[in-house]
Amino acid sequence: MIKFITETVDYLKEKGFDTPEIGIILGTGLGQLINDVEIIKEVSYNHIPNFPTATVEFHKGKLIFGKLAGKKVVVMQGRFHVYEGYSLQDVTYPVRIMEKLGIHTLLVSNAAGAINLDFKKGELMLIDDHINLQGSSPLAFQGVEQLGERFVDMSAPYDTEINSTFKNIANANGIKLHKGVYASVVGPQLETRAEYRMLKIMGADAVGMSTVPEVIVANHLKLKVAAVSVLTDECDPDNLAPVDIAEIIAMAGKAEPDMVTLFKELIENI
Ligand code: HPA
């Protein structure tokens, strides 16, 4: 993997990705943040050597280098999911690349269902901890110890300082920001009523299909990490309506201005 990483990093450096400080994974509900980025360079995932899509299929995703709130950032516009058929190593490959380019902090957003029924759709949740239910680990491969230690500490995977800054920004802007545990499943099917009950008993406040693999690898690389979920549906097993993807997308859109404010002000302050 080291040879692949070096090749990818050399390509991006040559394209002008010059020592970004912060990496951002734009998930659902944060796409508009790109409008605030002064774009210096962008490359389609398909053109990046060794990126998961480079030889496989068309992917509309782009890696963007630019400036946001005075900081040099590298932005993933579009992420990879296990439910699309990628391996956990593929899904997390871009995190390894962003770290080698120079980032010290990784910021992530996603859409999730609210398991905690005190949380309402359209609201935001700061991820305080997670439960990995994707069935494996992005660190479970031969040679992982050449990239960092194998037995990675996960006692505090999300940066407490960044999280308290997020909270302060939310308070100052009148944004409701819950704090909770995010469980990641493979998907792409949504959960059954029995699965939602199980997730609640386990201690999850929200459930989604991303983020945890990237956060594990970011911890492997000793990056600071923070992540925010936009809650798009309420997962009440006793009153479960059939999933409405249009509504999920509409909910993510509704919360987007708050998400953008949080991330922009955070980047200004770190
Ligand atoms: N389950 C899993 N992933 C999701 C959900 C959900 O209810 N809502 C948005 N992403």
Side-chain angles (χ1 to χ4, degrees), residues 111-113 185 190-191 196 207-209 232-233 235 248:
V185 294
L190 278 292
E191 288 68 38
Y196 284 137
V207 58
M209 304 173 191
T232 53
D233 52 313
C235 309
I248 285 184

Side-chain angles (χ1 to χ4, degrees), residues 203-232:
D205 293 296
V207 58
M209 304 173 191
S210 67
T211 303
V212 166
E214 293 99 318
V215 170
I216 293 172
V217 167
N219 275 269
H220 188 224
L221 300 170
K222 303 207 183 302
L223 297 175
K224 290 185 192 174
V225 190
V228 181
S229 296
V230 48
L231 303 171
T232 53

Side-chain angles (χ1 to χ4, degrees), residues 18-82:
D18 175 27
T19 56
E21 302 159 70
I22 299 165
I24 306 167
I25 303 179
L26 290 184
T28 311
L30 191 61
Q32 297 295 327
L33 184 69
I34 203 67
N35 298 333
D36 291 292
V37 178
E38 181 197 320
I39 297 176
I40 295 169
K41 191 76 209 175
E42 59 178 52
V43 189
S44 158
Y45 291 162
N46 297 62
H47 295 146
I48 304 176
N50 310 325
F51 246 50
T53 57
T55 54
V56 189
E57 58 178 292
F58 176 78
H59 195 287
K60 65 177 173 22
K62 280 189 278 192
L63 197 66
I64 295 164
F65 173 71
K67 278 202 156 174
L68 177 61
K71 305 267 165 43
K72 289 200 273 183
V73 295
V74 55
V75 181
M76 285 182 72
Q77 192 175 40
R79 59 142 64 87
F80 302 101
H81 299 91
V82 172

Side-chain angles (χ1 to χ4, degrees), residues 182-201:
Y182 173 90
S184 78
V185 294
V186 171
Q189 76 285 353
L190 278 292
E191 288 68 38
T192 63
R193 288 164 296 165
E195 287 166 341
Y196 284 137
R197 284 191 192 100
M198 173 194 76
L199 289 163
K200 194 184 188 92
I201 292 166

